[in-house]
Amino acid sequence: MTLPDDHAKDYIEKYMTQDAIIKVQGKYPLQGSVRIQGSKNATLPVLAACLLIPGKCVIHNCPIITDVMYMLRLLEYAGCIVTWKGNQVTVDACNVKEFRLPGEYVKKMRSSVILMGALLGRLHEVGIDYPGGCVIGERPIDQHLRGLEALGAKISMEGNYIHASSGKLQGAKIAFPSSSVGATQNVLLASVMARGETRIQNAAKEPEIAALCSFLRLAGADIVGEETGQITIHGVEELHPVEFDMMPDRIVAGTYLFAAMAAGGEICIKEAPIMHLTQVLHVLENMGGELKLRQESQEIELRVKERTKNLSYIETNVYPGFPTDLQSPLLSVAVVSEGKLLLKERIFSGRFKIVEELRRMGADITEYSNSVLIRGSSCLEGRNVIARELRGGAALVIAGLAASGITMVTDTRYISRGYEDIVRDLRTLGAHISINKI
Ligand code: EPU
C-alpha cells in the first residue's frame, strides 16, 4: 500500500486494525486551537485528474487518510508512479497504460467511479467494478453513465463489471436531472480534452467542484461557470503538469466545531474554509455558539458557555445548504441540546445509521423515512458503540464528548477514511480521548 513511510506503520496500527477502539471520557470542555487537514472530497478528484496529465503533478496539503491511499493505489495500477512525503504527494502519470482497475480497491470507495471519466479522457477505455463506499443509502451511478455516453462512450455492464470505450470523446450538452457531485466530476474529467464544447446544466456547485476546475485550469483546461451550476468546457489538446495546494476540509472543520458545541468550551479552528461554512456557522450561532471569524488569518473562534438550544427544523441540502456530511455531527449535538429538532435528510436515504447507537446512549429520537425528530435531553451515558460509516463514526465520538462516563467507539477504520487523526486533533483541543487495541 502506498503510504508515506514514517506514517505507515503508526497509521495502520492505530486506526485500520479490526481491534482499534476510540475511548472518550465525556464532560470535559474543549480548549485550544487546531489546524484543519486538506479536503478529502477535493483531493480525490484532483488525484483522478492527474491521470490526464502526462507528467509529474505535485499536490500539497494532501490528507493522509485511507480513501486517498486507495485512490493512489488505483493510480499506481493504471501505471502512475506515486511518491508521498508527509502531506505532499507527487503523481507521475507519464506512462498510464492499464485501463482495467482492480475490484479490491474500487469497491472500497465511491469516488473510484470518477476514474471512469479520467481513464476515458486519457486512454479512451476503462474497465471497473461497480464502486463501493459508505453504506448511506441508494447510490446509483446512472447520471455518471449517461453523462459519459453523451460524450461518446460506449458502455456495457456484465454483472458488477462496467466497461466503457470511445474514440476521441466529443463535447456535448448534458443536463443533469438533479445535482450530483460525482457525475459532474466525471463529465469534467472526460470532457477537458474532448473535441469541441461541453455544457453541463444543473452541475453541482460544491466547493470541491470548484477545486477540481481550478486544478484543471492551472493545467491548461478551458472551463468557465463552475460557481453558477452551468459549466462550459472547451476541449484542449493536452494538459501540462502543475503544483497544487489542497484547500482545507470544510467537513472536518465543521466536525470539530460541533465537537465543541457538544463538549462546551472555547476553541479556535485554524486554516478554516470560512467561506464554505456559511450555513453551518449560521446553525452554530443560532444554537447558542458565540463565533468570531477572522477572514484574513482564516480562523474561526467558537465559545460555548451555556447549554446549546435546538432550532425547530433543519434540512440537509446541496451546497450552499446545510451539508449532508455534517448531519450526523449535528444530530449528536441536538440530542443534548434544549428543545426539539426535526432534522430532514434530503441527499442520502440511509444516513441515520447512528440513531440506534445514540438511543443506546439515552437519546430520545423518533425516526421517520427521511427525517428524525429529536427531543433534546441534558444527559447521555457513555456506552460501547459501533461506527458504521465515516461521518456517523465521527459523530459518535462527538456524542462521547457530551456523555457522562466512558464511550468506546469500535470500527474506527471507517473514521480513518476521512479524518487524518481525529484522536490527535481532539486531544490537541483538550479532549480526554485515546485510541487503543481492544
Ligand atoms: N445520484 C443519483 N444518480 C447518480 C449520482 C447520484 O441518483 O448517478 C443521487 C445520489 O444517490 C444522492 C444524490 O444524487 O442521493 C447526490 O449524490 P452525489 O452524486 O452528489 O454524491 P457523491 O458524488 O456520491 C459526494 C461526496 C459525499 C457527499 C456528497 C454530497 C465524495 C467522494 N463524496 O458524493 O461525501 O456526501 O457528494 O455532497 O466527494 C463523505 O465525505 O462522507 C461523503 C459521503
Side-chain angles (χ1 to χ4, degrees), residues 40-41 44 110-111 136 138-144 178-183 185 206 250 324-325 347-348 351 390-391:
K40 164 174 93 74
N41 290 346
L44 295 169
R110 167 76 178 182
S111 58
I136 53 179
E138 283 291 306
R139 299 186 81 176
I141 57 167
D142 54 312
Q143 296 201 46
H144 298 247
S178 61
S179 161
S180 161
V181 174
Q185 289 164 345
E206 271 61 9
R250 64 189 167 109
T324 173
D325 296 341
I347 310 297
F348 292 111
R351 219 170 191 184
L390 162 59
R391 307 299 173 190

Side-chain angles (χ1 to χ4, degrees), residues 135-136 251 254-255 258-259 262 314 316 322-335 341 343-345 348 350-355 358 365 372 374 388-399 419:
V135 188
I136 53 179
I251 305 302
T255 303
F258 279 113
I314 299 176
T316 64
F322 189 89
T324 173
D325 296 341
L326 287 175
Q327 179 254 96
S328 296
L330 165 65
L331 185 46
S332 288
V333 176
V335 295
L341 165 68
L343 176 55
K344 182 167 182 181
E345 172 56 56
F348 292 111
R351 219 170 191 184
F352 287 121
K353 292 242 158 11
I354 62 160
V355 165
L358 289 177
I365 308 172
V372 286
I374 300 129
R388 295 176 200 276
E389 44 96 10
L390 162 59
R391 307 299 173 190
L396 288 173
V397 173
I398 293 177
Y419 296 85

Side-chain angles (χ1 to χ4, degrees), residues 344-414:
K344 182 167 182 181
E345 172 56 56
R346 293 187 49 156
I347 310 297
F348 292 111
S349 55
R351 219 170 191 184
F352 287 121
K353 292 242 158 11
I354 62 160
V355 165
E356 202 185 310
E357 303 302 297
L358 289 177
R359 276 203 198 113
R360 291 202 305 109
M361 294 175 79
D364 183 347
I365 308 172
T366 310
E367 194 173 351
Y368 304 98
S369 61
N370 60 357
S371 47
V372 286
L373 176 67
I374 300 129
R375 290 176 194 83
S377 121
S378 54
C379 48
L380 277 186
E381 276 172 34
R383 290 272 184 274
N384 290 358
V385 288
I386 305 170
R388 295 176 200 276
E389 44 96 10
L390 162 59
R391 307 299 173 190
L396 288 173
V397 173
I398 293 177
L401 295 171
S404 56
I406 290 175
T407 299
M408 301 278 212
V409 184
T410 54
D411 259 350
T412 57
R413 63 218 152 101
Y414 286 110

Side-chain angles (χ1 to χ4, degrees), residues 9-61:
K9 205 165 158 281
D10 187 40
Y11 190 86
I12 290 170
E13 272 182 11
K14 243 168 134 177
Y15 285 95
M16 291 177 68
T17 46
Q18 295 279 356
D19 54 355
I21 188 162
I22 294 177
K23 179 176 168 191
V24 190
Q25 169 90 57
K27 298 278 183 202
Y28 288 92
L30 300 188
Q31 192 84 43
S33 59
V34 69
R35 182 195 155 272
I36 298 303
Q37 69 182 62
S39 161
K40 164 174 93 74
N41 290 346
T43 300
L44 295 169
V46 162
L47 290 175
C50 290
L51 275 175
L52 294 167
I53 303 171
K56 266 191 202 175
C57 288
V58 182
I59 315 297
H60 300 283
N61 199 27

